[in-house]
PDB file of all heavy atoms in Angstrom:
ATOM      1  N   PHE A   1     222.194  22.514  24.880  1.00  0.00           N
ATOM      2  CA  PHE A   1     223.185  23.153  25.747  1.00  0.00           C
ATOM      3  C   PHE A   1     223.301  24.619  25.339  1.00  0.00           C
ATOM      4  O   PHE A   1     223.444  24.928  24.156  1.00  0.00           O
ATOM      5  CB  PHE A   1     224.541  22.469  25.621  1.00  0.00           C
ATOM      6  CG  PHE A   1     224.516  21.006  26.002  1.00  0.00           C
ATOM      7  CD1 PHE A   1     224.352  20.017  25.032  1.00  0.00           C
ATOM      8  CD2 PHE A   1     224.645  20.630  27.333  1.00  0.00           C
ATOM      9  CE1 PHE A   1     224.312  18.695  25.379  1.00  0.00           C
ATOM     10  CE2 PHE A   1     224.616  19.295  27.669  1.00  0.00           C
ATOM     11  CZ  PHE A   1     224.444  18.319  26.702  1.00  0.00           C
ATOM     12  N   SER A   2     223.197  25.507  26.297  1.00  0.00           N
ATOM     13  CA  SER A   2     223.316  26.951  26.016  1.00  0.00           C
ATOM     14  C   SER A   2     224.621  27.462  26.616  1.00  0.00           C
ATOM     15  O   SER A   2     224.929  27.211  27.758  1.00  0.00           O
ATOM     16  CB  SER A   2     222.134  27.733  26.614  1.00  0.00           C
ATOM     17  OG  SER A   2     222.082  27.539  28.001  1.00  0.00           O
ATOM     18  N   ALA A   3     225.345  28.164  25.786  1.00  0.00           N
ATOM     19  CA  ALA A   3     226.612  28.720  26.256  1.00  0.00           C
ATOM     20  C   ALA A   3     226.344  29.922  27.150  1.00  0.00           C
ATOM     21  O   ALA A   3     225.443  30.709  26.907  1.00  0.00           O
ATOM     22  CB  ALA A   3     227.446  29.137  25.056  1.00  0.00           C
ATOM     23  N   SER A   4     227.123  30.074  28.189  1.00  0.00           N
ATOM     24  CA  SER A   4     226.975  31.216  29.065  1.00  0.00           C
ATOM     25  C   SER A   4     227.447  32.465  28.354  1.00  0.00           C
ATOM     26  O   SER A   4     228.366  32.439  27.545  1.00  0.00           O
ATOM     27  CB  SER A   4     227.791  31.003  30.348  1.00  0.00           C
ATOM     28  OG  SER A   4     229.165  30.867  30.024  1.00  0.00           O
ATOM     29  N   VAL A   5     226.744  33.571  28.613  1.00  0.00           N
ATOM     30  CA  VAL A   5     227.073  34.833  27.967  1.00  0.00           C
ATOM     31  C   VAL A   5     227.395  35.858  29.012  1.00  0.00           C
ATOM     32  O   VAL A   5     226.912  35.791  30.150  1.00  0.00           O
ATOM     33  CB  VAL A   5     225.910  35.319  27.072  1.00  0.00           C
ATOM     34  CG1 VAL A   5     225.672  34.374  25.922  1.00  0.00           C
ATOM     35  CG2 VAL A   5     224.634  35.482  27.909  1.00  0.00           C
ATOM     36  N   GLU A   6     228.206  36.832  28.652  1.00  0.00           N
ATOM     37  CA  GLU A   6     228.546  37.886  29.568  1.00  0.00           C
ATOM     38  C   GLU A   6     227.371  38.853  29.735  1.00  0.00           C
ATOM     39  O   GLU A   6     226.683  39.160  28.763  1.00  0.00           O
ATOM     40  CB  GLU A   6     229.751  38.674  29.065  1.00  0.00           C
ATOM     41  CG  GLU A   6     231.053  37.876  29.069  1.00  0.00           C
ATOM     42  CD  GLU A   6     231.538  37.585  30.462  1.00  0.00           C
ATOM     43  OE1 GLU A   6     231.287  38.416  31.352  1.00  0.00           O
ATOM     44  OE2 GLU A   6     232.155  36.532  30.676  1.00  0.00           O
ATOM     45  N   PRO A   7     227.104  39.329  30.943  1.00  0.00           N
ATOM     46  CA  PRO A   7     225.991  40.291  31.138  1.00  0.00           C
ATOM     47  C   PRO A   7     226.434  41.683  30.690  1.00  0.00           C
ATOM     48  O   PRO A   7     227.595  41.921  30.336  1.00  0.00           O
ATOM     49  CB  PRO A   7     225.781  40.243  32.641  1.00  0.00           C
ATOM     50  CG  PRO A   7     227.142  39.899  33.189  1.00  0.00           C
ATOM     51  CD  PRO A   7     227.773  38.964  32.175  1.00  0.00           C
ATOM     52  N   LEU A   8     225.492  42.605  30.702  1.00  0.00           N
ATOM     53  CA  LEU A   8     225.811  44.010  30.462  1.00  0.00           C
ATOM     54  C   LEU A   8     226.857  44.481  31.452  1.00  0.00           C
ATOM     55  O   LEU A   8     226.819  44.141  32.620  1.00  0.00           O
ATOM     56  CB  LEU A   8     224.565  44.878  30.658  1.00  0.00           C
ATOM     57  CG  LEU A   8     223.540  44.931  29.502  1.00  0.00           C
ATOM     58  CD1 LEU A   8     222.263  45.578  29.993  1.00  0.00           C
ATOM     59  CD2 LEU A   8     224.095  45.705  28.327  1.00  0.00           C
ATOM     60  N   LYS A   9     227.806  45.264  30.980  1.00  0.00           N
ATOM     61  CA  LYS A   9     228.867  45.747  31.847  1.00  0.00           C
ATOM     62  C   LYS A   9     228.923  47.269  31.778  1.00  0.00           C
ATOM     63  O   LYS A   9     228.954  47.848  30.690  1.00  0.00           O
ATOM     64  CB  LYS A   9     230.213  45.167  31.427  1.00  0.00           C
ATOM     65  CG  LYS A   9     231.392  45.613  32.299  1.00  0.00           C
ATOM     66  CD  LYS A   9     232.695  45.012  31.804  1.00  0.00           C
ATOM     67  CE  LYS A   9     233.877  45.473  32.624  1.00  0.00           C
ATOM     68  NZ  LYS A   9     235.164  44.933  32.120  1.00  0.00           N
ATOM     69  N   ILE A  10     228.913  47.937  32.952  1.00  0.00           N
ATOM     70  CA  ILE A  10     228.969  49.380  33.010  1.00  0.00           C
ATOM     71  C   ILE A  10     230.300  49.802  33.613  1.00  0.00           C
ATOM     72  O   ILE A  10     230.674  49.320  34.688  1.00  0.00           O
ATOM     73  CB  ILE A  10     227.823  49.949  33.889  1.00  0.00           C
ATOM     74  CG1 ILE A  10     226.455  49.537  33.327  1.00  0.00           C
ATOM     75  CG2 ILE A  10     227.919  51.460  33.971  1.00  0.00           C
ATOM     76  CD1 ILE A  10     225.285  50.035  34.139  1.00  0.00           C
ATOM     77  N   GLU A  11     231.007  50.686  32.933  1.00  0.00           N
ATOM     78  CA  GLU A  11     232.252  51.275  33.465  1.00  0.00           C
ATOM     79  C   GLU A  11     231.972  52.759  33.702  1.00  0.00           C
ATOM     80  O   GLU A  11     231.605  53.484  32.785  1.00  0.00           O
ATOM     81  CB  GLU A  11     233.388  51.125  32.467  1.00  0.00           C
ATOM     82  CG  GLU A  11     233.715  49.668  32.117  1.00  0.00           C
ATOM     83  CD  GLU A  11     234.734  49.571  31.006  1.00  0.00           C
ATOM     84  OE1 GLU A  11     235.875  50.076  31.218  1.00  0.00           O
ATOM     85  OE2 GLU A  11     234.402  49.049  29.930  1.00  0.00           O
ATOM     86  N   HIS A  12     232.142  53.180  34.958  1.00  0.00           N
ATOM     87  CA  HIS A  12     231.814  54.560  35.297  1.00  0.00           C
ATOM     88  C   HIS A  12     232.743  55.086  36.405  1.00  0.00           C
ATOM     89  O   HIS A  12     232.924  54.434  37.413  1.00  0.00           O
ATOM     90  CB  HIS A  12     230.365  54.659  35.766  1.00  0.00           C
ATOM     91  CG  HIS A  12     229.981  56.024  36.255  1.00  0.00           C
ATOM     92  ND1 HIS A  12     229.941  57.116  35.421  1.00  0.00           N
ATOM     93  CD2 HIS A  12     229.629  56.457  37.497  1.00  0.00           C
ATOM     94  CE1 HIS A  12     229.564  58.174  36.137  1.00  0.00           C
ATOM     95  NE2 HIS A  12     229.367  57.814  37.380  1.00  0.00           N
ATOM     96  N   SER A  13     233.326  56.245  36.150  1.00  0.00           N
ATOM     97  CA  SER A  13     234.119  56.927  37.180  1.00  0.00           C
ATOM     98  C   SER A  13     233.176  57.909  37.886  1.00  0.00           C
ATOM     99  O   SER A  13     232.689  58.845  37.251  1.00  0.00           O
ATOM    100  CB  SER A  13     235.288  57.689  36.547  1.00  0.00           C
ATOM    101  OG  SER A  13     236.191  56.776  35.937  1.00  0.00           O
ATOM    102  N   PRO A  14     232.893  57.695  39.170  1.00  0.00           N
ATOM    103  CA  PRO A  14     231.898  58.508  39.862  1.00  0.00           C
ATOM    104  C   PRO A  14     232.211  59.992  39.825  1.00  0.00           C
ATOM    105  O   PRO A  14     233.377  60.397  39.953  1.00  0.00           O
ATOM    106  CB  PRO A  14     231.949  57.971  41.306  1.00  0.00           C
ATOM    107  CG  PRO A  14     232.513  56.586  41.200  1.00  0.00           C
ATOM    108  CD  PRO A  14     233.481  56.640  40.044  1.00  0.00           C
ATOM    109  N   VAL A  15     231.187  60.801  39.639  1.00  0.00           N
ATOM    110  CA  VAL A  15     231.303  62.253  39.743  1.00  0.00           C
ATOM    111  C   VAL A  15     231.018  62.589  41.211  1.00  0.00           C
ATOM    112  O   VAL A  15     229.929  62.331  41.708  1.00  0.00           O
ATOM    113  CB  VAL A  15     230.290  62.969  38.813  1.00  0.00           C
ATOM    114  CG1 VAL A  15     230.407  64.478  38.973  1.00  0.00           C
ATOM    115  CG2 VAL A  15     230.505  62.540  37.383  1.00  0.00           C
ATOM    116  N   THR A  16     232.005  63.115  41.904  1.00  0.00           N
ATOM    117  CA  THR A  16     231.844  63.310  43.341  1.00  0.00           C
ATOM    118  C   THR A  16     231.762  64.789  43.734  1.00  0.00           C
ATOM    119  O   THR A  16     231.431  65.095  44.882  1.00  0.00           O
ATOM    120  CB  THR A  16     233.057  62.704  44.095  1.00  0.00           C
ATOM    121  OG1 THR A  16     234.269  63.293  43.612  1.00  0.00           O
ATOM    122  CG2 THR A  16     233.103  61.202  43.878  1.00  0.00           C
ATOM    123  N   LEU A  17     232.009  65.702  42.785  1.00  0.00           N
ATOM    124  CA  LEU A  17     232.031  67.119  43.118  1.00  0.00           C
ATOM    125  C   LEU A  17     231.498  67.930  41.933  1.00  0.00           C
ATOM    126  O   LEU A  17     231.804  67.644  40.794  1.00  0.00           O
ATOM    127  CB  LEU A  17     233.455  67.567  43.458  1.00  0.00           C
ATOM    128  CG  LEU A  17     233.618  68.907  44.138  1.00  0.00           C
ATOM    129  CD1 LEU A  17     232.984  68.896  45.529  1.00  0.00           C
ATOM    130  CD2 LEU A  17     235.100  69.245  44.251  1.00  0.00           C
ATOM    131  N   ALA A  18     230.671  68.928  42.218  1.00  0.00           N
ATOM    132  CA  ALA A  18     230.129  69.807  41.183  1.00  0.00           C
ATOM    133  C   ALA A  18     230.095  71.241  41.723  1.00  0.00           C
ATOM    134  O   ALA A  18     230.039  71.460  42.945  1.00  0.00           O
ATOM    135  CB  ALA A  18     228.745  69.376  40.762  1.00  0.00           C
ATOM    136  N   VAL A  19     230.154  72.193  40.790  1.00  0.00           N
ATOM    137  CA  VAL A  19     230.105  73.610  41.183  1.00  0.00           C
ATOM    138  C   VAL A  19     228.674  74.138  40.978  1.00  0.00           C
ATOM    139  O   VAL A  19     228.087  73.937  39.898  1.00  0.00           O
ATOM    140  CB  VAL A  19     231.095  74.428  40.339  1.00  0.00           C
ATOM    141  CG1 VAL A  19     230.981  75.922  40.655  1.00  0.00           C
ATOM    142  CG2 VAL A  19     232.506  73.940  40.571  1.00  0.00           C
ATOM    143  N   ARG A  20     228.142  74.743  41.982  1.00  0.00           N
ATOM    144  CA  ARG A  20     226.781  75.277  41.924  1.00  0.00           C
ATOM    145  C   ARG A  20     226.663  76.270  40.787  1.00  0.00           C
ATOM    146  O   ARG A  20     227.505  77.121  40.587  1.00  0.00           O
ATOM    147  CB  ARG A  20     226.395  75.939  43.251  1.00  0.00           C
ATOM    148  CG  ARG A  20     224.951  76.400  43.326  1.00  0.00           C
ATOM    149  CD  ARG A  20     224.562  76.827  44.732  1.00  0.00           C
ATOM    150  NE  ARG A  20     224.362  75.639  45.569  1.00  0.00           N
ATOM    151  CZ  ARG A  20     225.217  75.260  46.523  1.00  0.00           C
ATOM    152  NH1 ARG A  20     226.296  75.946  46.741  1.00  0.00           N
ATOM    153  NH2 ARG A  20     224.959  74.189  47.231  1.00  0.00           N
ATOM    154  N   GLY A  21     225.576  76.132  40.011  1.00  0.00           N
ATOM    155  CA  GLY A  21     225.342  77.033  38.891  1.00  0.00           C
ATOM    156  C   GLY A  21     225.939  76.572  37.587  1.00  0.00           C
ATOM    157  O   GLY A  21     225.835  77.264  36.581  1.00  0.00           O
ATOM    158  N   GLN A  22     226.528  75.374  37.572  1.00  0.00           N
ATOM    159  CA  GLN A  22     227.080  74.829  36.331  1.00  0.00           C
ATOM    160  C   GLN A  22     226.428  73.475  36.035  1.00  0.00           C
ATOM    161  O   GLN A  22     226.066  72.739  36.971  1.00  0.00           O
ATOM    162  CB  GLN A  22     228.606  74.649  36.426  1.00  0.00           C
ATOM    163  CG  GLN A  22     229.375  75.950  36.564  1.00  0.00           C
ATOM    164  CD  GLN A  22     230.866  75.739  36.529  1.00  0.00           C
ATOM    165  OE1 GLN A  22     231.361  74.651  36.267  1.00  0.00           O
ATOM    166  NE2 GLN A  22     231.617  76.803  36.806  1.00  0.00           N
ATOM    167  N   ASN A  23     226.297  73.163  34.745  1.00  0.00           N
ATOM    168  CA  ASN A  23     225.777  71.843  34.375  1.00  0.00           C
ATOM    169  C   ASN A  23     226.683  70.749  34.936  1.00  0.00           C
ATOM    170  O   ASN A  23     227.904  70.912  34.961  1.00  0.00           O
ATOM    171  CB  ASN A  23     225.705  71.700  32.863  1.00  0.00           C
ATOM    172  CG  ASN A  23     224.675  72.602  32.243  1.00  0.00           C
ATOM    173  OD1 ASN A  23     223.785  73.124  32.929  1.00  0.00           O
ATOM    174  ND2 ASN A  23     224.770  72.819  30.936  1.00  0.00           N
ATOM    175  N   ILE A  24     226.069  69.639  35.357  1.00  0.00           N
ATOM    176  CA  ILE A  24     226.850  68.498  35.878  1.00  0.00           C
ATOM    177  C   ILE A  24     226.874  67.440  34.793  1.00  0.00           C
ATOM    178  O   ILE A  24     225.833  66.940  34.388  1.00  0.00           O
ATOM    179  CB  ILE A  24     226.246  67.937  37.163  1.00  0.00           C
ATOM    180  CG1 ILE A  24     226.032  69.038  38.206  1.00  0.00           C
ATOM    181  CG2 ILE A  24     227.125  66.854  37.744  1.00  0.00           C
ATOM    182  CD1 ILE A  24     225.318  68.576  39.457  1.00  0.00           C
ATOM    183  N   LEU A  25     228.053  67.095  34.299  1.00  0.00           N
ATOM    184  CA  LEU A  25     228.197  66.166  33.191  1.00  0.00           C
ATOM    185  C   LEU A  25     228.533  64.773  33.692  1.00  0.00           C
ATOM    186  O   LEU A  25     229.345  64.605  34.624  1.00  0.00           O
ATOM    187  CB  LEU A  25     229.287  66.652  32.237  1.00  0.00           C
ATOM    188  CG  LEU A  25     229.165  68.083  31.731  1.00  0.00           C
ATOM    189  CD1 LEU A  25     230.341  68.437  30.850  1.00  0.00           C
ATOM    190  CD2 LEU A  25     227.841  68.264  30.979  1.00  0.00           C
ATOM    191  N   PHE A  26     227.919  63.765  33.091  1.00  0.00           N
ATOM    192  CA  PHE A  26     228.155  62.365  33.450  1.00  0.00           C
ATOM    193  C   PHE A  26     228.495  61.606  32.174  1.00  0.00           C
ATOM    194  O   PHE A  26     227.932  61.867  31.103  1.00  0.00           O
ATOM    195  CB  PHE A  26     226.906  61.747  34.095  1.00  0.00           C
ATOM    196  CG  PHE A  26     226.451  62.421  35.357  1.00  0.00           C
ATOM    197  CD1 PHE A  26     225.634  63.534  35.291  1.00  0.00           C
ATOM    198  CD2 PHE A  26     226.847  61.929  36.575  1.00  0.00           C
ATOM    199  CE1 PHE A  26     225.205  64.152  36.442  1.00  0.00           C
ATOM    200  CE2 PHE A  26     226.426  62.547  37.752  1.00  0.00           C
ATOM    201  CZ  PHE A  26     225.603  63.677  37.673  1.00  0.00           C
ATOM    202  N   ARG A  27     229.381  60.638  32.297  1.00  0.00           N
ATOM    203  CA  ARG A  27     229.673  59.761  31.163  1.00  0.00           C
ATOM    204  C   ARG A  27     229.920  58.360  31.695  1.00  0.00           C
ATOM    205  O   ARG A  27     230.392  58.151  32.814  1.00  0.00           O
ATOM    206  CB  ARG A  27     230.898  60.273  30.395  1.00  0.00           C
ATOM    207  CG  ARG A  27     232.183  60.216  31.138  1.00  0.00           C
ATOM    208  CD  ARG A  27     233.313  60.896  30.373  1.00  0.00           C
ATOM    209  NE  ARG A  27     234.568  60.789  31.102  1.00  0.00           N
ATOM    210  CZ  ARG A  27     235.457  59.809  30.938  1.00  0.00           C
ATOM    211  NH1 ARG A  27     235.188  58.826  30.098  1.00  0.00           N
ATOM    212  NH2 ARG A  27     236.566  59.765  31.632  1.00  0.00           N
ATOM    213  N   THR A  28     229.592  57.398  30.859  1.00  0.00           N
ATOM    214  CA  THR A  28     229.768  56.009  31.236  1.00  0.00           C
ATOM    215  C   THR A  28     229.994  55.187  29.964  1.00  0.00           C
ATOM    216  O   THR A  28     229.547  55.590  28.872  1.00  0.00           O
ATOM    217  CB  THR A  28     228.562  55.478  32.003  1.00  0.00           C
ATOM    218  OG1 THR A  28     228.847  54.164  32.527  1.00  0.00           O
ATOM    219  CG2 THR A  28     227.315  55.381  31.118  1.00  0.00           C
ATOM    220  N   ARG A  29     230.682  54.074  30.112  1.00  0.00           N
ATOM    221  CA  ARG A  29     230.899  53.185  28.983  1.00  0.00           C
ATOM    222  C   ARG A  29     230.161  51.870  29.247  1.00  0.00           C
ATOM    223  O   ARG A  29     230.303  51.287  30.333  1.00  0.00           O
ATOM    224  CB  ARG A  29     232.370  52.917  28.768  1.00  0.00           C
ATOM    225  CG  ARG A  29     232.695  52.200  27.460  1.00  0.00           C
ATOM    226  CD  ARG A  29     234.193  52.148  27.218  1.00  0.00           C
ATOM    227  NE  ARG A  29     234.482  51.665  25.874  1.00  0.00           N
ATOM    228  CZ  ARG A  29     235.702  51.581  25.360  1.00  0.00           C
ATOM    229  NH1 ARG A  29     236.754  51.947  26.094  1.00  0.00           N
ATOM    230  NH2 ARG A  29     235.904  51.152  24.125  1.00  0.00           N
ATOM    231  N   VAL A  30     229.368  51.418  28.288  1.00  0.00           N
ATOM    232  CA  VAL A  30     228.551  50.225  28.457  1.00  0.00           C
ATOM    233  C   VAL A  30     228.940  49.198  27.415  1.00  0.00           C
ATOM    234  O   VAL A  30     228.983  49.486  26.206  1.00  0.00           O
ATOM    235  CB  VAL A  30     227.052  50.553  28.338  1.00  0.00           C
ATOM    236  CG1 VAL A  30     226.219  49.280  28.530  1.00  0.00           C
ATOM    237  CG2 VAL A  30     226.639  51.622  29.358  1.00  0.00           C
ATOM    238  N   THR A  31     229.254  47.981  27.870  1.00  0.00           N
ATOM    239  CA  THR A  31     229.574  46.883  26.980  1.00  0.00           C
ATOM    240  C   THR A  31     228.386  45.919  26.949  1.00  0.00           C
ATOM    241  O   THR A  31     227.959  45.429  28.007  1.00  0.00           O
ATOM    242  CB  THR A  31     230.815  46.114  27.467  1.00  0.00           C
ATOM    243  OG1 THR A  31     231.916  47.048  27.580  1.00  0.00           O
ATOM    244  CG2 THR A  31     231.168  45.001  26.518  1.00  0.00           C
ATOM    245  N   PRO A  32     227.786  45.680  25.782  1.00  0.00           N
ATOM    246  CA  PRO A  32     226.614  44.799  25.731  1.00  0.00           C
ATOM    247  C   PRO A  32     226.969  43.343  26.010  1.00  0.00           C
ATOM    248  O   PRO A  32     228.122  42.930  25.860  1.00  0.00           O
ATOM    249  CB  PRO A  32     226.108  44.983  24.303  1.00  0.00           C
ATOM    250  CG  PRO A  32     227.317  45.371  23.521  1.00  0.00           C
ATOM    251  CD  PRO A  32     228.168  46.192  24.471  1.00  0.00           C
ATOM    252  N   GLY A  33     225.959  42.575  26.424  1.00  0.00           N
ATOM    253  CA  GLY A  33     226.142  41.159  26.637  1.00  0.00           C
ATOM    254  C   GLY A  33     225.652  40.375  25.434  1.00  0.00           C
ATOM    255  O   GLY A  33     226.162  40.537  24.321  1.00  0.00           O
ATOM    256  N   ALA A  34     224.601  39.570  25.637  1.00  0.00           N
ATOM    257  CA  ALA A  34     224.066  38.748  24.544  1.00  0.00           C
ATOM    258  C   ALA A  34     223.199  39.554  23.576  1.00  0.00           C
ATOM    259  O   ALA A  34     222.976  39.134  22.443  1.00  0.00           O
ATOM    260  CB  ALA A  34     223.259  37.604  25.111  1.00  0.00           C
ATOM    261  N   HIS A  35     222.724  40.728  24.009  1.00  0.00           N
ATOM    262  CA  HIS A  35     221.789  41.512  23.189  1.00  0.00           C
ATOM    263  C   HIS A  35     222.260  42.950  23.072  1.00  0.00           C
ATOM    264  O   HIS A  35     222.969  43.437  23.952  1.00  0.00           O
ATOM    265  CB  HIS A  35     220.386  41.454  23.803  1.00  0.00           C
ATOM    266  CG  HIS A  35     219.851  40.065  24.014  1.00  0.00           C
ATOM    267  ND1 HIS A  35     219.384  39.271  22.998  1.00  0.00           N
ATOM    268  CD2 HIS A  35     219.749  39.315  25.159  1.00  0.00           C
ATOM    269  CE1 HIS A  35     218.995  38.101  23.474  1.00  0.00           C
ATOM    270  NE2 HIS A  35     219.209  38.098  24.781  1.00  0.00           N
ATOM    271  N   PRO A  36     221.814  43.626  22.041  1.00  0.00           N
ATOM    272  CA  PRO A  36     222.185  45.048  21.881  1.00  0.00           C
ATOM    273  C   PRO A  36     221.625  45.908  23.011  1.00  0.00           C
ATOM    274  O   PRO A  36     220.632  45.563  23.654  1.00  0.00           O
ATOM    275  CB  PRO A  36     221.555  45.420  20.526  1.00  0.00           C
ATOM    276  CG  PRO A  36     221.342  44.123  19.811  1.00  0.00           C
ATOM    277  CD  PRO A  36     221.044  43.114  20.878  1.00  0.00           C
ATOM    278  N   ILE A  37     222.249  47.036  23.211  1.00  0.00           N
ATOM    279  CA  ILE A  37     221.825  47.964  24.275  1.00  0.00           C
ATOM    280  C   ILE A  37     220.559  48.698  23.832  1.00  0.00           C
ATOM    281  O   ILE A  37     220.471  49.195  22.713  1.00  0.00           O
ATOM    282  CB  ILE A  37     222.931  48.964  24.589  1.00  0.00           C
ATOM    283  CG1 ILE A  37     224.184  48.228  25.103  1.00  0.00           C
ATOM    284  CG2 ILE A  37     222.468  49.990  25.631  1.00  0.00           C
ATOM    285  CD1 ILE A  37     225.421  49.090  25.198  1.00  0.00           C
TER     286      ILE A  37
END
């Protein structure tokens, strides 16, 4: 019998607007499931 495990989970607030000529920064939080990321 194998226990069910949670899958990889991504939490991300979408970047919807950027200013031309500036770097666009992105960030996200990832929660691993059965295996390391």
